[in-house]
mmCIF file with all atom_site columns, all heavy atoms in Angstrom:
data_model
loop_
_atom_site.group_PDB
_atom_site.id
_atom_site.type_symbol
_atom_site.label_atom_id
_atom_site.label_alt_id
_atom_site.label_comp_id
_atom_site.label_asym_id
_atom_site.label_entity_id
_atom_site.label_seq_id
_atom_site.pdbx_PDB_ins_code
_atom_site.Cartn_x
_atom_site.Cartn_y
_atom_site.Cartn_z
_atom_site.occupancy
_atom_site.B_iso_or_equiv
_atom_site.pdbx_formal_charge
_atom_site.auth_seq_id
_atom_site.auth_comp_id
_atom_site.auth_asym_id
_atom_site.auth_atom_id
_atom_site.pdbx_PDB_model_num
ATOM 1   N N   . PRO A 1 1  ? 8.606   11.867  3.988   1.00 0.00 ? 1  PRO A N   1
ATOM 2   C CA  . PRO A 1 1  ? 9.858   12.576  4.282   1.00 0.00 ? 1  PRO A CA  1
ATOM 3   C C   . PRO A 1 1  ? 10.021  13.777  3.361   1.00 0.00 ? 1  PRO A C   1
ATOM 4   O O   . PRO A 1 1  ? 9.426   13.838  2.274   1.00 0.00 ? 1  PRO A O   1
ATOM 5   C CB  . PRO A 1 1  ? 10.930  11.520  4.026   1.00 0.00 ? 1  PRO A CB  1
ATOM 6   C CG  . PRO A 1 1  ? 10.293  10.534  3.108   1.00 0.00 ? 1  PRO A CG  1
ATOM 7   C CD  . PRO A 1 1  ? 8.834   10.523  3.445   1.00 0.00 ? 1  PRO A CD  1
ATOM 8   N N   . LYS A 1 2  ? 10.809  14.714  3.796   1.00 0.00 ? 2  LYS A N   1
ATOM 9   C CA  . LYS A 1 2  ? 11.019  15.959  3.045   1.00 0.00 ? 2  LYS A CA  1
ATOM 10  C C   . LYS A 1 2  ? 11.348  15.690  1.574   1.00 0.00 ? 2  LYS A C   1
ATOM 11  O O   . LYS A 1 2  ? 10.826  16.360  0.679   1.00 0.00 ? 2  LYS A O   1
ATOM 12  C CB  . LYS A 1 2  ? 12.143  16.771  3.698   1.00 0.00 ? 2  LYS A CB  1
ATOM 13  C CG  . LYS A 1 2  ? 12.433  18.101  3.036   1.00 0.00 ? 2  LYS A CG  1
ATOM 14  C CD  . LYS A 1 2  ? 13.536  18.858  3.761   1.00 0.00 ? 2  LYS A CD  1
ATOM 15  C CE  . LYS A 1 2  ? 13.861  20.183  3.094   1.00 0.00 ? 2  LYS A CE  1
ATOM 16  N NZ  . LYS A 1 2  ? 12.709  21.103  3.063   1.00 0.00 ? 2  LYS A NZ  1
ATOM 17  N N   . LYS A 1 3  ? 12.169  14.686  1.322   1.00 0.00 ? 3  LYS A N   1
ATOM 18  C CA  . LYS A 1 3  ? 12.602  14.402  -0.046  1.00 0.00 ? 3  LYS A CA  1
ATOM 19  C C   . LYS A 1 3  ? 11.459  13.934  -0.957  1.00 0.00 ? 3  LYS A C   1
ATOM 20  O O   . LYS A 1 3  ? 11.575  13.990  -2.183  1.00 0.00 ? 3  LYS A O   1
ATOM 21  C CB  . LYS A 1 3  ? 13.719  13.359  -0.034  1.00 0.00 ? 3  LYS A CB  1
ATOM 22  C CG  . LYS A 1 3  ? 13.297  11.992  0.466   1.00 0.00 ? 3  LYS A CG  1
ATOM 23  C CD  . LYS A 1 3  ? 14.472  11.032  0.495   1.00 0.00 ? 3  LYS A CD  1
ATOM 24  C CE  . LYS A 1 3  ? 14.070  9.659   1.032   1.00 0.00 ? 3  LYS A CE  1
ATOM 25  N NZ  . LYS A 1 3  ? 13.079  8.988   0.180   1.00 0.00 ? 3  LYS A NZ  1
ATOM 26  N N   . ASP A 1 4  ? 10.362  13.456  -0.349  1.00 0.00 ? 4  ASP A N   1
ATOM 27  C CA  . ASP A 1 4  ? 9.256   12.916  -1.142  1.00 0.00 ? 4  ASP A CA  1
ATOM 28  C C   . ASP A 1 4  ? 8.012   13.790  -1.141  1.00 0.00 ? 4  ASP A C   1
ATOM 29  O O   . ASP A 1 4  ? 7.020   13.453  -1.802  1.00 0.00 ? 4  ASP A O   1
ATOM 30  C CB  . ASP A 1 4  ? 8.866   11.530  -0.618  1.00 0.00 ? 4  ASP A CB  1
ATOM 31  C CG  . ASP A 1 4  ? 9.925   10.477  -0.885  1.00 0.00 ? 4  ASP A CG  1
ATOM 32  O OD1 . ASP A 1 4  ? 10.692  10.639  -1.849  1.00 0.00 ? 4  ASP A OD1 1
ATOM 33  O OD2 . ASP A 1 4  ? 9.980   9.484   -0.136  1.00 0.00 ? 4  ASP A OD2 1
ATOM 34  N N   . LYS A 1 5  ? 8.026   14.895  -0.412  1.00 0.00 ? 5  LYS A N   1
ATOM 35  C CA  . LYS A 1 5  ? 6.795   15.672  -0.242  1.00 0.00 ? 5  LYS A CA  1
ATOM 36  C C   . LYS A 1 5  ? 6.259   16.241  -1.559  1.00 0.00 ? 5  LYS A C   1
ATOM 37  O O   . LYS A 1 5  ? 5.053   16.434  -1.694  1.00 0.00 ? 5  LYS A O   1
ATOM 38  C CB  . LYS A 1 5  ? 6.999   16.789  0.790   1.00 0.00 ? 5  LYS A CB  1
ATOM 39  C CG  . LYS A 1 5  ? 6.958   16.260  2.220   1.00 0.00 ? 5  LYS A CG  1
ATOM 40  C CD  . LYS A 1 5  ? 6.858   17.384  3.225   1.00 0.00 ? 5  LYS A CD  1
ATOM 41  C CE  . LYS A 1 5  ? 6.725   16.843  4.640   1.00 0.00 ? 5  LYS A CE  1
ATOM 42  N NZ  . LYS A 1 5  ? 5.442   16.120  4.838   1.00 0.00 ? 5  LYS A NZ  1
ATOM 43  N N   . MET A 1 6  ? 7.139   16.495  -2.506  1.00 0.00 ? 6  MET A N   1
ATOM 44  C CA  . MET A 1 6  ? 6.680   17.060  -3.778  1.00 0.00 ? 6  MET A CA  1
ATOM 45  C C   . MET A 1 6  ? 6.784   16.052  -4.925  1.00 0.00 ? 6  MET A C   1
ATOM 46  O O   . MET A 1 6  ? 6.847   16.431  -6.087  1.00 0.00 ? 6  MET A O   1
ATOM 47  C CB  . MET A 1 6  ? 7.476   18.329  -4.082  1.00 0.00 ? 6  MET A CB  1
ATOM 48  C CG  . MET A 1 6  ? 7.230   19.465  -3.101  1.00 0.00 ? 6  MET A CG  1
ATOM 49  S SD  . MET A 1 6  ? 5.498   20.021  -3.053  1.00 0.00 ? 6  MET A SD  1
ATOM 50  C CE  . MET A 1 6  ? 5.403   20.871  -4.644  1.00 0.00 ? 6  MET A CE  1
ATOM 51  N N   . MET A 1 7  ? 6.757   14.763  -4.575  1.00 0.00 ? 7  MET A N   1
ATOM 52  C CA  . MET A 1 7  ? 6.800   13.740  -5.619  1.00 0.00 ? 7  MET A CA  1
ATOM 53  C C   . MET A 1 7  ? 5.467   13.699  -6.378  1.00 0.00 ? 7  MET A C   1
ATOM 54  O O   . MET A 1 7  ? 4.447   14.237  -5.923  1.00 0.00 ? 7  MET A O   1
ATOM 55  C CB  . MET A 1 7  ? 7.089   12.366  -5.000  1.00 0.00 ? 7  MET A CB  1
ATOM 56  C CG  . MET A 1 7  ? 5.972   11.802  -4.136  1.00 0.00 ? 7  MET A CG  1
ATOM 57  S SD  . MET A 1 7  ? 6.353   10.152  -3.477  1.00 0.00 ? 7  MET A SD  1
ATOM 58  C CE  . MET A 1 7  ? 6.142   9.169   -4.963  1.00 0.00 ? 7  MET A CE  1
ATOM 59  N N   . LYS A 1 8  ? 5.474   13.059  -7.511  1.00 0.00 ? 8  LYS A N   1
ATOM 60  C CA  . LYS A 1 8  ? 4.261   12.927  -8.310  1.00 0.00 ? 8  LYS A CA  1
ATOM 61  C C   . LYS A 1 8  ? 3.254   12.062  -7.561  1.00 0.00 ? 8  LYS A C   1
ATOM 62  O O   . LYS A 1 8  ? 3.602   11.003  -7.037  1.00 0.00 ? 8  LYS A O   1
ATOM 63  C CB  . LYS A 1 8  ? 4.592   12.288  -9.662  1.00 0.00 ? 8  LYS A CB  1
ATOM 64  C CG  . LYS A 1 8  ? 3.402   12.180  -10.590 1.00 0.00 ? 8  LYS A CG  1
ATOM 65  C CD  . LYS A 1 8  ? 3.809   11.564  -11.925 1.00 0.00 ? 8  LYS A CD  1
ATOM 66  C CE  . LYS A 1 8  ? 2.604   11.427  -12.847 1.00 0.00 ? 8  LYS A CE  1
ATOM 67  N NZ  . LYS A 1 8  ? 2.982   10.819  -14.156 1.00 0.00 ? 8  LYS A NZ  1
ATOM 68  N N   . PRO A 1 9  ? 1.996   12.485  -7.512  1.00 0.00 ? 9  PRO A N   1
ATOM 69  C CA  . PRO A 1 9  ? 0.976   11.669  -6.833  1.00 0.00 ? 9  PRO A CA  1
ATOM 70  C C   . PRO A 1 9  ? 0.844   10.287  -7.468  1.00 0.00 ? 9  PRO A C   1
ATOM 71  O O   . PRO A 1 9  ? 1.042   10.121  -8.679  1.00 0.00 ? 9  PRO A O   1
ATOM 72  C CB  . PRO A 1 9  ? -0.308  12.483  -7.021  1.00 0.00 ? 9  PRO A CB  1
ATOM 73  C CG  . PRO A 1 9  ? 0.156   13.888  -7.221  1.00 0.00 ? 9  PRO A CG  1
ATOM 74  C CD  . PRO A 1 9  ? 1.452   13.777  -7.973  1.00 0.00 ? 9  PRO A CD  1
ATOM 75  N N   . ARG A 1 10 ? 0.506   9.296   -6.638  1.00 0.00 ? 10 ARG A N   1
ATOM 76  C CA  . ARG A 1 10 ? 0.306   7.949   -7.162  1.00 0.00 ? 10 ARG A CA  1
ATOM 77  C C   . ARG A 1 10 ? -0.670  7.176   -6.260  1.00 0.00 ? 10 ARG A C   1
ATOM 78  O O   . ARG A 1 10 ? -0.912  7.551   -5.111  1.00 0.00 ? 10 ARG A O   1
ATOM 79  C CB  . ARG A 1 10 ? 1.612   7.178   -7.280  1.00 0.00 ? 10 ARG A CB  1
ATOM 80  C CG  . ARG A 1 10 ? 2.212   6.735   -5.957  1.00 0.00 ? 10 ARG A CG  1
ATOM 81  C CD  . ARG A 1 10 ? 3.280   5.671   -6.178  1.00 0.00 ? 10 ARG A CD  1
ATOM 82  N NE  . ARG A 1 10 ? 3.756   5.129   -4.913  1.00 0.00 ? 10 ARG A NE  1
ATOM 83  C CZ  . ARG A 1 10 ? 4.500   4.035   -4.802  1.00 0.00 ? 10 ARG A CZ  1
ATOM 84  N NH1 . ARG A 1 10 ? 4.854   3.369   -5.883  1.00 0.00 ? 10 ARG A NH1 1
ATOM 85  N NH2 . ARG A 1 10 ? 4.893   3.596   -3.624  1.00 0.00 ? 10 ARG A NH2 1
ATOM 86  N N   . TYR A 1 11 ? -1.236  6.091   -6.807  1.00 0.00 ? 11 TYR A N   1
ATOM 87  C CA  . TYR A 1 11 ? -2.170  5.235   -6.081  1.00 0.00 ? 11 TYR A CA  1
ATOM 88  C C   . TYR A 1 11 ? -1.658  3.806   -6.076  1.00 0.00 ? 11 TYR A C   1
ATOM 89  O O   . TYR A 1 11 ? -1.044  3.343   -7.039  1.00 0.00 ? 11 TYR A O   1
ATOM 90  C CB  . TYR A 1 11 ? -3.544  5.225   -6.753  1.00 0.00 ? 11 TYR A CB  1
ATOM 91  C CG  . TYR A 1 11 ? -4.330  6.490   -6.606  1.00 0.00 ? 11 TYR A CG  1
ATOM 92  C CD1 . TYR A 1 11 ? -4.200  7.535   -7.508  1.00 0.00 ? 11 TYR A CD1 1
ATOM 93  C CD2 . TYR A 1 11 ? -5.224  6.650   -5.547  1.00 0.00 ? 11 TYR A CD2 1
ATOM 94  C CE1 . TYR A 1 11 ? -4.927  8.695   -7.385  1.00 0.00 ? 11 TYR A CE1 1
ATOM 95  C CE2 . TYR A 1 11 ? -5.966  7.809   -5.412  1.00 0.00 ? 11 TYR A CE2 1
ATOM 96  C CZ  . TYR A 1 11 ? -5.810  8.825   -6.334  1.00 0.00 ? 11 TYR A CZ  1
ATOM 97  O OH  . TYR A 1 11 ? -6.533  9.979   -6.196  1.00 0.00 ? 11 TYR A OH  1
ATOM 98  N N   . GLN A 1 12 ? -1.957  3.113   -4.991  1.00 0.00 ? 12 GLN A N   1
ATOM 99  C CA  . GLN A 1 12 ? -1.864  1.665   -4.953  1.00 0.00 ? 12 GLN A CA  1
ATOM 100 C C   . GLN A 1 12 ? -3.230  1.158   -4.478  1.00 0.00 ? 12 GLN A C   1
ATOM 101 O O   . GLN A 1 12 ? -3.595  1.347   -3.324  1.00 0.00 ? 12 GLN A O   1
ATOM 102 C CB  . GLN A 1 12 ? -0.760  1.193   -4.013  1.00 0.00 ? 12 GLN A CB  1
ATOM 103 C CG  . GLN A 1 12 ? 0.635   1.606   -4.469  1.00 0.00 ? 12 GLN A CG  1
ATOM 104 C CD  . GLN A 1 12 ? 1.709   1.140   -3.516  1.00 0.00 ? 12 GLN A CD  1
ATOM 105 O OE1 . GLN A 1 12 ? 2.161   0.006   -3.552  1.00 0.00 ? 12 GLN A OE1 1
ATOM 106 N NE2 . GLN A 1 12 ? 2.133   2.038   -2.645  1.00 0.00 ? 12 GLN A NE2 1
ATOM 107 N N   . ASP A 1 13 ? -3.997  0.587   -5.392  1.00 0.00 ? 13 ASP A N   1
ATOM 108 C CA  . ASP A 1 13 ? -5.319  0.057   -5.076  1.00 0.00 ? 13 ASP A CA  1
ATOM 109 C C   . ASP A 1 13 ? -5.210  -1.447  -4.872  1.00 0.00 ? 13 ASP A C   1
ATOM 110 O O   . ASP A 1 13 ? -4.745  -2.169  -5.773  1.00 0.00 ? 13 ASP A O   1
ATOM 111 C CB  . ASP A 1 13 ? -6.310  0.368   -6.199  1.00 0.00 ? 13 ASP A CB  1
ATOM 112 C CG  . ASP A 1 13 ? -6.615  1.855   -6.296  1.00 0.00 ? 13 ASP A CG  1
ATOM 113 O OD1 . ASP A 1 13 ? -6.902  2.457   -5.257  1.00 0.00 ? 13 ASP A OD1 1
ATOM 114 O OD2 . ASP A 1 13 ? -6.553  2.402   -7.415  1.00 0.00 ? 13 ASP A OD2 1
ATOM 115 N N   . LEU A 1 14 ? -5.610  -1.908  -3.706  1.00 0.00 ? 14 LEU A N   1
ATOM 116 C CA  . LEU A 1 14 ? -5.446  -3.309  -3.355  1.00 0.00 ? 14 LEU A CA  1
ATOM 117 C C   . LEU A 1 14 ? -6.808  -3.922  -3.037  1.00 0.00 ? 14 LEU A C   1
ATOM 118 O O   . LEU A 1 14 ? -7.460  -3.533  -2.068  1.00 0.00 ? 14 LEU A O   1
ATOM 119 C CB  . LEU A 1 14 ? -4.517  -3.425  -2.136  1.00 0.00 ? 14 LEU A CB  1
ATOM 120 C CG  . LEU A 1 14 ? -4.065  -4.824  -1.739  1.00 0.00 ? 14 LEU A CG  1
ATOM 121 C CD1 . LEU A 1 14 ? -3.286  -5.480  -2.881  1.00 0.00 ? 14 LEU A CD1 1
ATOM 122 C CD2 . LEU A 1 14 ? -3.209  -4.761  -0.489  1.00 0.00 ? 14 LEU A CD2 1
ATOM 123 N N   . GLN A 1 15 ? -7.245  -4.854  -3.880  1.00 0.00 ? 15 GLN A N   1
ATOM 124 C CA  . GLN A 1 15 ? -8.514  -5.533  -3.644  1.00 0.00 ? 15 GLN A CA  1
ATOM 125 C C   . GLN A 1 15 ? -8.378  -6.521  -2.495  1.00 0.00 ? 15 GLN A C   1
ATOM 126 O O   . GLN A 1 15 ? -7.303  -7.059  -2.224  1.00 0.00 ? 15 GLN A O   1
ATOM 127 C CB  . GLN A 1 15 ? -8.974  -6.236  -4.914  1.00 0.00 ? 15 GLN A CB  1
ATOM 128 C CG  . GLN A 1 15 ? -9.314  -5.284  -6.045  1.00 0.00 ? 15 GLN A CG  1
ATOM 129 C CD  . GLN A 1 15 ? -9.777  -6.012  -7.296  1.00 0.00 ? 15 GLN A CD  1
ATOM 130 O OE1 . GLN A 1 15 ? -9.524  -7.201  -7.460  1.00 0.00 ? 15 GLN A OE1 1
ATOM 131 N NE2 . GLN A 1 15 ? -10.462 -5.291  -8.172  1.00 0.00 ? 15 GLN A NE2 1
ATOM 132 N N   . ALA A 1 16 ? -9.511  -6.769  -1.840  1.00 0.00 ? 16 ALA A N   1
ATOM 133 C CA  . ALA A 1 16 ? -9.516  -7.604  -0.643  1.00 0.00 ? 16 ALA A CA  1
ATOM 134 C C   . ALA A 1 16 ? -8.866  -8.964  -0.875  1.00 0.00 ? 16 ALA A C   1
ATOM 135 O O   . ALA A 1 16 ? -8.116  -9.460  -0.023  1.00 0.00 ? 16 ALA A O   1
ATOM 136 C CB  . ALA A 1 16 ? -10.948 -7.776  -0.138  1.00 0.00 ? 16 ALA A CB  1
ATOM 137 N N   . ASN A 1 17 ? -9.130  -9.573  -2.040  1.00 0.00 ? 17 ASN A N   1
ATOM 138 C CA  . ASN A 1 17 ? -8.605  -10.916 -2.283  1.00 0.00 ? 17 ASN A CA  1
ATOM 139 C C   . ASN A 1 17 ? -7.114  -10.940 -2.590  1.00 0.00 ? 17 ASN A C   1
ATOM 140 O O   . ASN A 1 17 ? -6.525  -12.018 -2.752  1.00 0.00 ? 17 ASN A O   1
ATOM 141 C CB  . ASN A 1 17 ? -9.394  -11.618 -3.397  1.00 0.00 ? 17 ASN A CB  1
ATOM 142 C CG  . ASN A 1 17 ? -9.317  -10.892 -4.732  1.00 0.00 ? 17 ASN A CG  1
ATOM 143 O OD1 . ASN A 1 17 ? -8.616  -9.890  -4.874  1.00 0.00 ? 17 ASN A OD1 1
ATOM 144 N ND2 . ASN A 1 17 ? -10.056 -11.382 -5.715  1.00 0.00 ? 17 ASN A ND2 1
ATOM 145 N N   . LYS A 1 18 ? -6.482  -9.767  -2.674  1.00 0.00 ? 18 LYS A N   1
ATOM 146 C CA  . LYS A 1 18 ? -5.040  -9.684  -2.908  1.00 0.00 ? 18 LYS A CA  1
ATOM 147 C C   . LYS A 1 18 ? -4.259  -9.417  -1.617  1.00 0.00 ? 18 LYS A C   1
ATOM 148 O O   . LYS A 1 18 ? -3.030  -9.384  -1.637  1.00 0.00 ? 18 LYS A O   1
ATOM 149 C CB  . LYS A 1 18 ? -4.735  -8.581  -3.926  1.00 0.00 ? 18 LYS A CB  1
ATOM 150 C CG  . LYS A 1 18 ? -5.409  -8.758  -5.287  1.00 0.00 ? 18 LYS A CG  1
ATOM 151 C CD  . LYS A 1 18 ? -4.935  -10.017 -5.994  1.00 0.00 ? 18 LYS A CD  1
ATOM 152 C CE  . LYS A 1 18 ? -5.540  -10.097 -7.389  1.00 0.00 ? 18 LYS A CE  1
ATOM 153 N NZ  . LYS A 1 18 ? -5.139  -11.353 -8.081  1.00 0.00 ? 18 LYS A NZ  1
ATOM 154 N N   . ILE A 1 19 ? -4.974  -9.184  -0.511  1.00 0.00 ? 19 ILE A N   1
ATOM 155 C CA  . ILE A 1 19 ? -4.304  -8.901  0.755   1.00 0.00 ? 19 ILE A CA  1
ATOM 156 C C   . ILE A 1 19 ? -3.938  -10.227 1.423   1.00 0.00 ? 19 ILE A C   1
ATOM 157 O O   . ILE A 1 19 ? -4.817  -11.056 1.686   1.00 0.00 ? 19 ILE A O   1
ATOM 158 C CB  . ILE A 1 19 ? -5.204  -8.073  1.686   1.00 0.00 ? 19 ILE A CB  1
ATOM 159 C CG1 . ILE A 1 19 ? -5.548  -6.728  1.034   1.00 0.00 ? 19 ILE A CG1 1
ATOM 160 C CG2 . ILE A 1 19 ? -4.525  -7.848  3.034   1.00 0.00 ? 19 ILE A CG2 1
ATOM 161 C CD1 . ILE A 1 19 ? -6.537  -5.897  1.830   1.00 0.00 ? 19 ILE A CD1 1
ATOM 162 N N   . PRO A 1 20 ? -2.649  -10.460 1.702   1.00 0.00 ? 20 PRO A N   1
ATOM 163 C CA  . PRO A 1 20 ? -2.245  -11.718 2.340   1.00 0.00 ? 20 PRO A CA  1
ATOM 164 C C   . PRO A 1 20 ? -2.892  -11.885 3.716   1.00 0.00 ? 20 PRO A C   1
ATOM 165 O O   . PRO A 1 20 ? -3.057  -10.921 4.462   1.00 0.00 ? 20 PRO A O   1
ATOM 166 C CB  . PRO A 1 20 ? -0.723  -11.581 2.470   1.00 0.00 ? 20 PRO A CB  1
ATOM 167 C CG  . PRO A 1 20 ? -0.339  -10.560 1.444   1.00 0.00 ? 20 PRO A CG  1
ATOM 168 C CD  . PRO A 1 20 ? -1.487  -9.608  1.379   1.00 0.00 ? 20 PRO A CD  1
ATOM 169 N N   . ILE A 1 21 ? -3.259  -13.110 4.019   1.00 0.00 ? 21 ILE A N   1
ATOM 170 C CA  . ILE A 1 21 ? -3.859  -13.464 5.305   1.00 0.00 ? 21 ILE A CA  1
ATOM 171 C C   . ILE A 1 21 ? -3.131  -14.674 5.869   1.00 0.00 ? 21 ILE A C   1
ATOM 172 O O   . ILE A 1 21 ? -2.800  -15.614 5.131   1.00 0.00 ? 21 ILE A O   1
ATOM 173 C CB  . ILE A 1 21 ? -5.365  -13.779 5.156   1.00 0.00 ? 21 ILE A CB  1
ATOM 174 C CG1 . ILE A 1 21 ? -6.133  -12.527 4.708   1.00 0.00 ? 21 ILE A CG1 1
ATOM 175 C CG2 . ILE A 1 21 ? -5.950  -14.318 6.456   1.00 0.00 ? 21 ILE A CG2 1
ATOM 176 C CD1 . ILE A 1 21 ? -7.605  -12.784 4.411   1.00 0.00 ? 21 ILE A CD1 1
ATOM 177 N N   . ALA A 1 22 ? -2.870  -14.663 7.175   1.00 0.00 ? 22 ALA A N   1
ATOM 178 C CA  . ALA A 1 22 ? -2.278  -15.812 7.855   1.00 0.00 ? 22 ALA A CA  1
ATOM 179 C C   . ALA A 1 22 ? -3.119  -16.149 9.076   1.00 0.00 ? 22 ALA A C   1
ATOM 180 O O   . ALA A 1 22 ? -3.721  -15.265 9.690   1.00 0.00 ? 22 ALA A O   1
ATOM 181 C CB  . ALA A 1 22 ? -0.834  -15.513 8.263   1.00 0.00 ? 22 ALA A CB  1
ATOM 182 N N   . GLU A 1 23 ? -3.158  -17.436 9.427   1.00 0.00 ? 23 GLU A N   1
ATOM 183 C CA  . GLU A 1 23 ? -3.920  -17.883 10.593  1.00 0.00 ? 23 GLU A CA  1
ATOM 184 C C   . GLU A 1 23 ? -3.121  -18.918 11.360  1.00 0.00 ? 23 GLU A C   1
ATOM 185 O O   . GLU A 1 23 ? -2.426  -19.749 10.764  1.00 0.00 ? 23 GLU A O   1
ATOM 186 C CB  . GLU A 1 23 ? -5.261  -18.482 10.168  1.00 0.00 ? 23 GLU A CB  1
ATOM 187 C CG  . GLU A 1 23 ? -6.207  -17.504 9.498   1.00 0.00 ? 23 GLU A CG  1
ATOM 188 C CD  . GLU A 1 23 ? -7.586  -18.112 9.239   1.00 0.00 ? 23 GLU A CD  1
ATOM 189 O OE1 . GLU A 1 23 ? -8.235  -18.509 10.227  1.00 0.00 ? 23 GLU A OE1 1
ATOM 190 O OE2 . GLU A 1 23 ? -7.975  -18.171 8.063   1.00 0.00 ? 23 GLU A OE2 1
ATOM 191 N N   . ASN A 1 24 ? -3.247  -18.882 12.699  1.00 0.00 ? 24 ASN A N   1
ATOM 192 C CA  . ASN A 1 24 ? -2.552  -19.852 13.537  1.00 0.00 ? 24 ASN A CA  1
ATOM 193 C C   . ASN A 1 24 ? -3.074  -19.769 14.964  1.00 0.00 ? 24 ASN A C   1
ATOM 194 O O   . ASN A 1 24 ? -3.121  -18.686 15.553  1.00 0.00 ? 24 ASN A O   1
ATOM 195 C CB  . ASN A 1 24 ? -1.038  -19.582 13.526  1.00 0.00 ? 24 ASN A CB  1
ATOM 196 C CG  . ASN A 1 24 ? -0.250  -20.667 14.228  1.00 0.00 ? 24 ASN A CG  1
ATOM 197 O OD1 . ASN A 1 24 ? -0.617  -21.830 14.203  1.00 0.00 ? 24 ASN A OD1 1
ATOM 198 N ND2 . ASN A 1 24 ? 0.830   -20.274 14.875  1.00 0.00 ? 24 ASN A ND2 1
ATOM 199 N N   . ASP A 1 25 ? -3.491  -20.877 15.524  1.00 0.00 ? 25 ASP A N   1
ATOM 200 C CA  . ASP A 1 25 ? -3.851  -20.989 16.940  1.00 0.00 ? 25 ASP A CA  1
ATOM 201 C C   . ASP A 1 25 ? -4.811  -19.896 17.410  1.00 0.00 ? 25 ASP A C   1
ATOM 202 O O   . ASP A 1 25 ? -4.580  -19.226 18.419  1.00 0.00 ? 25 ASP A O   1
ATOM 203 C CB  . ASP A 1 25 ? -2.589  -20.959 17.810  1.00 0.00 ? 25 ASP A CB  1
ATOM 204 C CG  . ASP A 1 25 ? -1.714  -22.185 17.603  1.00 0.00 ? 25 ASP A CG  1
ATOM 205 O OD1 . ASP A 1 25 ? -2.235  -23.208 17.112  1.00 0.00 ? 25 ASP A OD1 1
ATOM 206 O OD2 . ASP A 1 25 ? -0.519  -22.113 17.920  1.00 0.00 ? 25 ASP A OD2 1
ATOM 207 N N   . GLY A 1 26 ? -5.911  -19.708 16.676  1.00 0.00 ? 26 GLY A N   1
ATOM 208 C CA  . GLY A 1 26 ? -6.914  -18.740 17.092  1.00 0.00 ? 26 GLY A CA  1
ATOM 209 C C   . GLY A 1 26 ? -6.606  -17.309 16.737  1.00 0.00 ? 26 GLY A C   1
ATOM 210 O O   . GLY A 1 26 ? -7.309  -16.386 17.166  1.00 0.00 ? 26 GLY A O   1
#
């Protein structure tokens, strides 16, 4: 959004084992 276009750059690095996973009925 316009209000955030000039915000300070940042990263969110997410390793595979930190990504939530759910399973149900195939």
Side-chain angles (χ1 to χ4, degrees):
K2 182 179 179 61
K3 65 182 178 63
D4 291 334
K5 282 192 176 294
M6 294 299 288
M7 68 178 286
K8 183 179 179 180
R10 72 165 186 167
Y11 288 88
Q12 295 179 82
D13 292 312
L14 188 60
Q15 294 180 341
N17 61 4
K18 301 297 185 183
I19 299 175
I21 296 175
E23 296 186 60
N24 188 33
D25 293 340

